[in-house]
Amino acid sequence: MPALDPTDLWRRPERSVVGPKPGHSRTGIATAALQIADQEGLAAVSIRRVAASVGSGAASLYRYVKSHDELVELMMDTVSSEYHLKPAAGGPQEQLLHLARQGRRLMRRHPWLAPLLLTRPSMGPNSLRYLEAALAALAKVDLPGPAKLQTVAMMTAITSAFVQNEMATTHPTEPEGVASGRGQYLTEALMAGDYPHLAAAMTGHTGEGQPDEQFTSIITNYLTGAGVPS
Amino acid sequence: MPALDPTDLWRRPERSVVGPKPGHSRTGIATAALQIADQEGLAAVSIRRVAASVGSGAASLYRYVKSHDELVELMMDTVSSEYHLKPAAGGPQEQLLHLARQGRRLMRRHPWLAPLLLTRPSMGPNSLRYLEAALAALAKVDLPGPAKLQTVAMMTAITSAFVQNEMATTHPTEPEGVASGRGQYLTEALMAGDYPHLAAAMTGHTGEGQPDEQFTSIITNYLTGAGVPS
DNA sequence: CTTAATTGCGAACGGTGATCGCAATTATCA
DNA sequence: TGATAATTGCGATCACCGTTCGCAATTAAG
């Protein structure tokens, strides 16, 4: 009997009890993949690329990870170990705000994370620890369970959106040739007089608040609206 | 001189003035791609697949669309033509709420849209028309231009997150074998007693509100918090 | 020492986005 | 009415992708 092991990454033991000892490890593979993703984006994280970076053949990676999706899952949970989950001082709102700040920090450090968190929530131990911490902050709040879950989900979603907005506006991700391809139509349409309100909004003076304060107020506003007391 | 045309999809004329008339059209290609995406997901929308669906060779598609990314851009803007942008009655908040509802409708109709809107905002004419309508609703609101832009962006982000949440919980996207692979660890960990707050939240009685009312209240709460008067 | 399981991995399969070159088509100009 | 120049359709091809298969090498248990 070929020892059918669980389909779930987190249930599967890293190393089986018999056979040659593996030349690599999950964390080694994960850190290699993380480095690639941080530097060249998630699209650069291919099985072959990670394998080469670790120093093994491409097919060997499948001894550690069942699919490319699982590799991403592993990356997400590995990066989730960077959370500082010490419960903050203050009421539920302050504690959740602290967790949201942690999320923002993580998404800024690893730009590939933000889109993923919305599409494909991670279910690994570290990710669940974060979720658990958030729910612990809501323990004494009088809200039905699913509502609490939704509140946390929306909070990270808002964080993700904020970070992506933030980095898109401040970080010139494009090579900036002359008028970098994309958006060329925009400028033309704006000068042609279509979208007058858009033109007005874009030429308007920049907002007065620092991004940190903006973020704080957005999260706080959402939480109070959702019924989370301070 | 080989008539270098703009790199921008929306600036490039659909058909040049000389040469044989194209056998296909952007809208034809777009609708074919849309159908595939709606039925089988965005991942199924490959150049070859769309070409076959339209009845042409794979390489021919590049006469209408410069890259796969541009195809997606085209899809996003094409689908944005389904918005009902008639200004609603009421103050800024009601008008924005109406637009948010439109967004939710669209994202539910085309599940592939929600993740894309967050990662890769569309800049086509129809998408810009939506943005323009939102900014028009904010015309008389005393907020700096960038703040208005951010407000609209956050609104659609919240909508996207809500829809994805909504469809993930109600729509069993997985084949549901026995304990469908993913989440097997979760149930085990829950029964083992880790994540007690999570366990409590998941076994709690379901929320009382209809999703539509939930959505309305979330958007409304956000808008009032952002300083948008009703 | 035998046995059974596991590891590493080269080779291969099917699919992907994208490019190139060429024959066929067609509007404009002489 | 040609002749010209640009454009279209597209087969062939390249590089890369995720994934599977089969096999030699390795190692722990009996």
Side-chain angles (χ1 to χ4, degrees):
Chain A
M1 203 149 68
L4 167 69
D5 44 20
T7 62
D8 195 325
L9 167 64
W10 309 113
R11 268 168 67 89
R12 200 165 49 228
E14 162 132 27
R15 183 189 181 336
S16 67
V17 69
V18 68
K21 67 177 173 192
H24 311 280
S25 67
R26 270 183 203 169
T27 64
I29 291 172
T31 54
L34 286 188
Q35 194 164 338
I36 295 175
D38 287 345
Q39 293 174 359
E40 308 174 39
L42 186 64
V45 179
S46 68
I47 296 285
R48 284 171 172 81
R49 186 91 162 64
V50 174
S53 164
V54 155
S56 81
S60 307
L61 267 205
Y62 286 93
R63 296 288 177 198
Y64 301 86
V65 145
K66 231 188 43 174
S67 68
H68 184 255
D69 274 13
E70 250 194 21
L71 175 60
V72 174
E73 210 175 328
L74 178 61
M75 289 172 62
M76 290 182 70
D77 196 71
T78 299
V79 95
S80 295
S81 72
E82 299 178 14
Y83 283 128
H84 291 326
L85 297 184
K86 297 260 180 67
Q93 198 166 111
E94 284 79 9
Q95 296 187 25
L96 283 187
L97 178 61
H98 169 249
L99 289 177
R101 285 215 184 91
Q102 290 291 320
R104 174 164 174 247
R105 218 171 59 101
L106 210 62
M107 296 183 206
R108 285 170 62 94
R109 248 211 263 284
H110 311 283
W112 48 271
L113 225 203
L116 281 188
L117 276 181
L118 261 70
T119 311
R120 193 204 286 214
S122 172
M123 286 301 198
N126 289 317
S127 313
L128 287 183
R129 249 189 292 277
Y130 179 89
L131 180 55
E132 175 73 8
L135 290 173
L138 286 173
K140 297 187 179 175
V141 176
D142 183 33
L143 240 59
K148 293 183 183 181
L149 284 172
Q150 200 201 32
T151 300
V152 179
M154 295 298 283
M155 196 180 74
T156 79
I158 292 176
T159 303
S160 163
F162 183 88
V163 170
Q164 286 186 262
N165 226 35
E166 185 178 21
M167 297 202 305
T169 55
T170 66
H171 213 52
T173 180
E174 315 207 29
E176 292 285 354
V178 174
S180 47
R182 178 117 161 190
Q184 200 167 344
Y185 160 76
L186 210 179
T187 59
E188 180 173 302
L190 285 184
M191 294 194 307
D194 321 334
Y195 319 116
H197 294 101
L198 217 200
M202 292 188 63
T203 59
H205 187 270
T206 178
E208 75 279 12
Q210 286 302 97
D212 303 86
E213 307 170 12
Q214 288 182 32
F215 181 71
T216 300
S217 84
I218 286 181
I219 294 291
T220 305
N221 278 332
Y222 169 71
L223 290 180
T224 44
V228 178
S230 73
Chain B
M1 203 149 72
L4 166 70
D5 45 21
T7 61
D8 195 327
L9 168 64
W10 308 114
R11 267 169 67 87
R12 199 167 50 230
E14 163 131 28
R15 181 188 181 339
S16 67
V17 70
V18 69
K21 68 176 173 193
H24 311 279
S25 67
R26 270 183 203 169
T27 63
I29 291 172
T31 53
L34 286 188
Q35 194 164 340
I36 295 174
D38 286 345
Q39 293 175 359
E40 309 175 38
L42 187 63
V45 178
S46 69
I47 295 287
R48 283 170 174 80
R49 186 91 162 64
V50 174
S53 163
V54 155
S56 81
S60 308
L61 266 206
Y62 287 95
R63 296 288 177 198
Y64 301 85
V65 144
K66 230 187 46 172
S67 68
H68 184 255
D69 274 13
E70 252 194 20
L71 174 61
V72 175
E73 212 175 325
L74 177 63
M75 289 171 64
M76 290 181 69
D77 196 71
T78 299
V79 94
S80 295
S81 72
E82 298 178 15
Y83 283 129
H84 291 325
L85 297 184
K86 296 260 180 69
Q93 198 167 112
E94 284 78 9
Q95 296 187 26
L96 284 187
L97 177 61
H98 170 249
L99 289 177
R101 285 214 184 91
Q102 291 292 318
R104 173 164 175 246
R105 218 172 59 102
L106 210 63
M107 296 183 206
R108 285 169 63 94
R109 248 212 265 283
H110 311 282
W112 49 270
L113 226 204
L116 281 186
L117 277 181
L118 261 71
T119 311
R120 195 202 285 212
S122 172
M123 285 301 196
N126 290 317
S127 313
L128 287 183
R129 248 189 293 277
Y130 179 89
L131 180 55
E132 176 74 7
L135 291 173
L138 286 173
K140 296 185 178 176
V141 176
D142 184 31
L143 241 57
K148 294 182 182 179
L149 285 172
Q150 201 201 30
T151 300
V152 179
M154 295 298 283
M155 196 181 73
T156 78
I158 293 176
T159 304
S160 162
F162 184 87
V163 170
Q164 286 186 260
N165 227 34
E166 185 179 20
M167 298 202 302
T169 55
T170 67
H171 213 53
T173 178
E174 314 206 30
E176 293 285 354
V178 175
S180 48
R182 179 119 160 185
Q184 200 167 345
Y185 160 75
L186 210 179
T187 57
E188 180 172 303
L190 286 184
M191 294 194 307
D194 320 334
Y195 320 115
H197 293 100
L198 217 199
M202 291 187 64
T203 58
H205 186 269
T206 177
E208 76 280 16
Q210 287 302 96
D212 303 86
E213 308 170 10
Q214 286 182 33
F215 181 70
T216 299
S217 84
I218 286 182
I219 294 291
T220 305
N221 279 331
Y222 169 72
L223 289 180
T224 43
V228 177
S230 74

